[in-house]
Amino acid sequence: MDFKSLISHCKEYGFIFQSSEIYDGLSAVYDYGPYGVELKNNIKSYWWKSMVQMHENIVGLDAAIFMHPKTWKASGHVDAFNDPLVDNKDSKKRYRADQLIEGYAEKIDAKNIKDVEKAKARFGDTFDENQFRTTNDRIIERQKQIDAVLGRLAEAMKAGDMEGLKNMIDEYEIVCPESGSRNWTEVRQFNLMFNTQLGNIAGEEGKLYLRPETAQGIFVNFLNVQKSTRQKIPFGIAQIGKAFRNEIVARQFIFRMREFEQMEMQFFIRPGTEMDWYEYWKQARLKWHKAIGTDPSKLKFHDHANLAHYANAAVDIEFEFPFGFRELEGIHSRTDFDLTQHQELSGKKLQYFDPELNENYVPYVVETSIGCDRMFLAMVADALKEETVPDADGKDSVRIVMKLHPALAPVKVAVLPLLKNKEELTKAATDIYDKLKLSFICQYDEKDAIGRRYRRQDAIGTPFCVTIDFETLENDTVTIRDRDTLEQQRVKIDDIRGVVQGKVAMENLLV
Ligand code: GAP
């Protein structure tokens, strides 16, 4: 399904609404509707169970959003959490300079992709893409250009060279996508942290930041948690919570938001073991994504060429969103950067006594960090399908179905009396609904023809529809319709719970 239709579907079926829509919305801020909040809670629960419940050496935390402002000085966010910003004087639109330059390289790459596609069509099965890419002069030349552009970009970004970025924009004759002009301002650094004021303290002293990542709440509590839970290294602290970034360009729906939620885990380890744990968490996290049935061809690792100020190795798990492969989750080897910085600025020791080595040290950290909203978007993008299936009369009809893993689907079971104006049927159906709601998020629906009700449930991803018909009144059985196979199974009312539970249990994902 294309991206525009996905966004409309999310609104029409109560998953995601633009924030403050009646006031024309607030850019890059979104609200989760009735099905959205269920799906998001299930994602969080899947993450929490697999990270905390399934690891005896990982414990949870819920730190406050506000933190002492020195936290952000120590972490490097005050000085280095910047994006390069440039304005077009004609359109008055604001851009990230690095993204404009990346876009320029992507345009060159698009020509290569086009040539490859053409050659593929010409040579058919005998086509060897790798050979073509390494022998075709035009492709080689363009690839050299791309590498040169990206190499220069990486260097300028690393050095914080704003003038260098501006020179590239001018040299490559990059135009504003809106106005088509090259009338750019200088490039300048823009800090992405939102700030606010504490109580009645005016000026710099009362300046507070909305946290741009949840990780720092974990670092500053490292010793509190270690001592109170008597964990031994290696151990982890996991947290789910809101983070805020004043993104310069925030497009692509919930992919890049100004207020979003992160699920982060910091794994504290002995110095020198970080590459082993980094590898371990890379594989563990990829497995987590694959377990819910995400199309494996849409997931890949992407090593960071530009390391963040705190990392000595970093990789993204990328997902193929409707607009291409992009970062879904980051795994970072953060060394002892954060704890050492906090130790220095706070003057408090943040060290661990290792009884096996009989020495104190500042632990190293491997972090896994995933945006809950981005995970939501990836899941919906992977699950939402348009299919042709037989309708009740056996004729072909098109349905929109969200093939979410049953354990994560917002509603687990819909209870549907065949007809709404037959009291015997609606009474039997409400009795069943009242029983099932003790175990699952259920929905009772008696409006419209049964086929239309099935379609509504397909559209929100409900794995099971239970239909109460006249046979129910005779022998206490119902039909259970499976969302994916469309098969209808007749089962005893007392067995419904077991059939549903068998497929929707979160345990299925954890083993
Ligand atoms: N503590 C490390 C950290 O915050 P990051 O790569 O900046 O690393 C981690 O962010 C994850 O948070 C990303 O992989 C992404 O899923 C999510 N994320 C970051 N910025 C986001 C934004 N503006 N909107 C939605 N999700 C975002």
Side-chain angles (χ1 to χ4, degrees), residues 213 245 247 255 257 262 264 327-328 334 367 369 371:
E213 62 170 10
R245 294 183 190 178
E247 300 284 356
F255 179 80
M257 303 159 88
Q262 286 187 318
E264 297 200 298
E327 173 184 351
L328 170 59
R334 292 182 76 128
E367 161 186 77
S369 173

Side-chain angles (χ1 to χ4, degrees), residues 330-369:
I331 296 127
H332 313 124
S333 171
R334 292 182 76 128
T335 66
D336 58 355
F337 175 85
D338 302 84
L339 288 179
T340 305
Q341 286 287 107
H342 287 305
Q343 197 169 250
E344 270 171 28
L345 250 88
S346 68
K348 310 271 171 15
K349 276 213 159 124
L350 289 174
Q351 296 190 353
Y352 170 78
F353 176 71
D354 192 323
E356 281 168 37
L357 298 180
N358 200 24
E359 67 181 58
N360 281 303
Y361 55 79
V362 178
Y364 270 39
V365 170
V366 171
E367 161 186 77
T368 73
S369 173

Side-chain angles (χ1 to χ4, degrees), residues 40-48 240 261 263 372:
K40 200 174 179 208
N41 283 342
N42 292 341
I43 293 172
K44 289 193 256 187
S45 168
Y46 172 41
W47 186 86
W48 193 262
I240 299 177
E261 222 162 343
M263 307 191 284
C372 185

Side-chain angles (χ1 to χ4, degrees), residues 77 81 212-216 219 243-245 247 250 254-264 266 304 310 316-317 327-330 332 334 367-375:
H77 284 83
F81 196 54
E213 62 170 10
T214 59
Q216 298 305 325
F219 288 121
F244 304 83
R245 294 183 190 178
E247 300 284 356
I254 57 168
F255 179 80
R256 196 175 298 285
M257 303 159 88
R258 296 204 164 97
E259 173 181 341
F260 57 101
E261 222 162 343
Q262 286 187 318
M263 307 191 284
E264 297 200 298
Q266 313 295 319
H304 282 210
Y310 50 72
D316 292 337
I317 295 178
E327 173 184 351
L328 170 59
E329 167 156 11
H332 313 124
R334 292 182 76 128
E367 161 186 77
T368 73
S369 173
I370 176 167
C372 185
D373 314 84
R374 231 174 245 193
M375 183 63 198

Side-chain angles (χ1 to χ4, degrees), residues 7 95 100 150 152-153 278 305 316 366 426 430 433 473 497:
I7 296 170
Y95 297 92
L100 285 178
L150 295 181
R152 263 181 89 181
L153 173 62
Y278 176 67
D316 292 337
V366 171
T426 53
T430 43
Y433 170 76
L473 308 177
R497 192 185 166 282

